[in-house]
Amino acid sequence: MVNKIKRIGVMTSGGDSPGMNAAIRAVVRSCAYYNVECVGFYRGFQGMVEGDYMEMDARSVRNIISRGGTILKSARSKDFLTPQGRKKAANSLSKAKVDAMILIGGDGTFRGGKIFSEEHGFPVIGVPGTIDNDIFGTHYTIGYDTALNTVVEAIDKIRDTASSHNRLFFVEVMGRDAGFIALNSGIGAGAEEILIPEEDLGLDRLLASLERSRKSGKMSSIVVVSEGDKIGKNVFELAEYVTKNLPDYDSKVTVLGHIQRGGSPSCFDRVLASRLCVKAVELLLDGQKNVMVGFVNNQIESCSLVSALKEKHDINRDLLRISDILST
């Protein structure tokens, strides 16, 4: 390895996701293994701007692998959006003698890292941590698997009530711009319909599907709705429309909200975070920069931050076909 890096910083930014602590742990312990100092910046880019950091060693991350959230906290930073704020962040990194940064987050985090690197020639590596799974260059992001399991468990419980009272439940899950959580959890929980931003099924098709289900003997159904679905203004308006046009259904709405972000990460997310972050440290020590590490075909690979931001991670269209078949 070309080890010109003596001190690495790590931060978490954007929405928290289960497994971020496992990622922090992997960065810190990889640094310790390779005899590189490590510091953790609090509250993402805002901590960089303010120079708010802590020295971290192998013992400082003990017992955090199973914890949800992030011990380094996360926050939005209006200061970092300005050239002046980014200049202040660069000065803070210089004073802290940090040679490179590992950024754990989503596309907003990577976009900020890319701009910062271009302006100040500072090496950064991105690690995808978001429950939405909407980052190009990786098949899975840290936190996605745990969020899926949380959603499926919740829907299983909702179905018990739906069956007991012959009700139609609309269950809204996270995914403002991407339907990965809705599509996969919907299939996993046996939902009758799945509504996602990428596929505008239309109100007529939804009504026709629910009517077919009713005529086939189903009086309780689950419709999983991604929060970014375009059919209605919101899930409540959608439920009201269906109730008006299909009065035989007793429609209810459940918004799962932020419970999808919390909880102890799954084994998959812990292992994924560990693999990605060990590789991130090794790439920096090997002289690479401005790339994102990803999980592709069970291997850890890297792509440029430009590609991660420019390209789109498409949903698996075959899952839509499978959903239609199984909802019969």
Side-chain angles (χ1 to χ4, degrees):
M1 291 187 177
V2 183
N3 190 358
K4 296 181 180 179
I5 303 292
K6 302 298 182 184
R7 193 165 163 90
I8 292 175
V10 59
M11 55 163 260
T12 52
S13 181
D16 64 302
S17 62
M20 279 186 164
N21 280 326
I24 295 167
R25 174 182 181 271
V27 171
V28 174
R29 293 200 170 176
S30 296
C31 286
Y33 180 85
Y34 288 111
N35 296 314
V36 176
E37 294 180 355
C38 186
V39 298
F41 283 84
Y42 288 108
R43 296 171 293 117
F45 290 120
Q46 191 61 32
M48 284 175 55
V49 172
E50 297 176 2
D52 185 11
Y53 66 89
M54 66 175 291
E55 305 283 341
M56 305 188 79
D57 59 24
R59 301 285 71 79
S60 66
V61 291
R62 64 184 181 273
N63 300 328
I64 70 168
I65 193 170
S66 62
R67 291 171 55 183
T70 163
I71 63 169
L72 291 178
K73 311 296 182 184
S74 183
R76 309 292 180 185
S77 176
K78 293 183 179 179
D79 293 331
F80 196 81
L81 295 176
T82 67
Q84 296 83 0
R86 293 191 291 273
K87 175 64 175 176
K88 190 173 180 180
N91 292 336
S92 295
L93 292 176
S94 178
K95 290 179 181 178
K97 299 181 180 179
V98 173
D99 301 311
M101 285 289 299
I102 292 177
L103 314 177
I104 304 167
D107 56 355
T109 301
F110 298 159
R111 190 170 292 108
K114 174 180 173 292
I115 294 173
F116 181 75
S117 179
E118 291 172 348
E119 288 181 347
H120 299 281
F122 194 86
V124 300
I125 298 282
V127 176
T130 168
I131 67 169
D132 291 335
N133 202 47
D134 58 349
I135 304 295
F136 178 83
T138 185
H139 288 167
Y140 297 99
T141 57
I142 298 168
Y144 173 60
D145 183 70
T146 305
L148 278 183
N149 291 329
T150 298
V151 171
V152 169
E153 181 181 2
I155 294 175
D156 286 347
K157 293 178 179 179
I158 290 169
R159 187 178 289 282
D160 291 342
T161 292
S163 299
S164 298
H165 296 276
N166 290 335
R167 286 173 175 165
L168 167 63
F169 266 90
F170 290 86
V171 182
E172 184 185 88
V173 301
M174 285 186 169
R176 187 171 56 250
D177 301 309
F180 292 98
I181 292 177
L183 181 57
N184 285 272
S185 66
I187 292 175
E192 279 67 34
E193 279 294 339
I194 302 168
L195 307 179
I196 59 175
E198 295 90 339
E199 191 80 0
D200 188 352
L201 299 181
L203 286 169
D204 291 339
R205 185 185 183 284
L206 175 62
L207 291 177
S209 175
L210 292 173
E211 182 63 10
R212 282 196 305 271
S213 293
R214 188 189 67 80
K215 288 181 178 179
S216 70
K218 288 184 180 180
M219 286 308 295
S220 65
S221 294
I222 300 291
V223 178
V224 178
V225 185
S226 178
E227 63 179 322
D229 176 66
K230 305 299 192 298
I231 289 183
K233 291 182 180 179
N234 56 61
V235 68
F236 295 97
E237 182 185 80
L238 181 60
E240 183 179 345
Y241 179 86
V242 170
T243 300
K244 180 179 179 181
N245 288 273
L246 297 176
D248 288 333
Y249 275 115
D250 179 14
S251 300
K252 302 294 181 181
V253 173
T254 297
V255 178
L256 295 185
H258 286 78
I259 69 166
Q260 296 161 87
R261 291 196 185 280
S264 180
S266 66
C267 180
F268 181 90
D269 275 328
R270 298 181 199 192
V271 174
L272 177 64
S274 299
R275 293 181 69 183
L276 291 175
C277 288
V278 168
K279 187 64 173 180
V281 171
E282 291 176 343
L283 287 176
L284 283 175
L285 298 183
D286 200 36
Q288 296 195 45
K289 58 184 179 180
N290 305 337
V291 300
M292 184 199 79
V293 289
F295 182 77
V296 180
N297 297 326
N298 204 35
Q299 300 295 320
I300 304 302
E301 300 184 1
S302 64
C303 69
S304 69
L305 283 179
V306 173
S307 294
L309 290 167
K310 185 178 180 181
E311 305 294 335
K312 184 178 180 181
H313 183 191
D314 292 324
I315 62 168
N316 186 340
R317 293 281 166 178
D318 193 49
L319 289 179
L320 291 171
R321 183 181 67 86
I322 290 170
S323 173
D324 285 339
I325 292 172
L326 298 181
S327 64
T328 302

